[in-house]
Amino acid sequence: QVQLVESGGGLVQAGGSLSLSCAASGRTARWSAIAWFRQAPGKEREFVALVNWSGNVIQYEDSVKGRFTISRDNAKNTVYLQMNSLKLEDTAIYYCAADVGLVLSTASSAYDYWGQGTQVTVSS
């Protein structure tokens, strides 16, 4: 089992920044990648970014490239999402998820463990 806890969400003005954290506990050695997903009201959950265990594979959804940065600290079992130049359309609940499979994926169905989510609200 892997437990994930997100933190760092909040309210920010457009153009501002927020940093999210995802702290993993339990059998963390099992996971091959941790990803961030988000879900806005009335929309499906969508992929945002992922990083693999070694940190040498990182992927971003196109709309966040150049604005968001995913990173990891294995010593702390924590993955971060630095979000800069936030836009109104970034407003959503952000979830981190862990994948224990062998093939990295951006599909939410591939992820085995999920955090409870943290709300990010961008205001004008």
Side-chain angles (χ1 to χ4, degrees):
Q1 290 286 337
V2 177
Q3 293 79 43
L4 303 172
V5 178
E6 304 98 333
S7 61
L11 174 64
V12 63
Q13 286 191 323
S17 299
L18 278 176
S19 181
L20 305 183
S21 298
C22 173
S25 61
R27 300 183 65 179
T28 56
R30 293 191 59 199
W31 62 266
S32 56
I34 284 189
W36 288 94
F37 290 82
R38 64 186 180 186
Q39 187 166 19
K43 295 187 177 181
E44 293 189 354
R45 191 169 297 187
E46 67 172 358
F47 168 77
V48 176
L50 72 81
V51 60
N52 70 338
W53 172 260
S54 61
N56 64 343
V57 176
I58 290 176
Q59 296 183 31
Y60 295 100
E61 192 270 329
D62 285 347
S63 70
V64 307
K65 285 180 180 177
R67 300 189 298 121
F68 290 11
T69 302
I70 190 170
S71 62
R72 51 170 299 131
D73 184 337
N74 285 349
K76 296 182 179 180
N77 287 325
T78 301
V79 173
Y80 305 95
L81 186 68
Q82 178 64 40
M83 305 185 295
N84 299 327
S85 302
L86 283 161
K87 303 177 180 180
L88 297 179
E89 52 265 40
D90 294 319
T91 294
I93 299 175
Y94 283 70
Y95 300 89
C96 67
D99 180 8
V100 300
L102 298 178
V103 179
L104 297 182
S105 174
T106 61
S108 60
S109 58
Y111 287 77
D112 306 278
Y113 302 98
W114 292 81
Q116 82 289 350
T118 185
Q119 177 71 47
V120 171
T121 303
V122 183
S123 64
S124 58

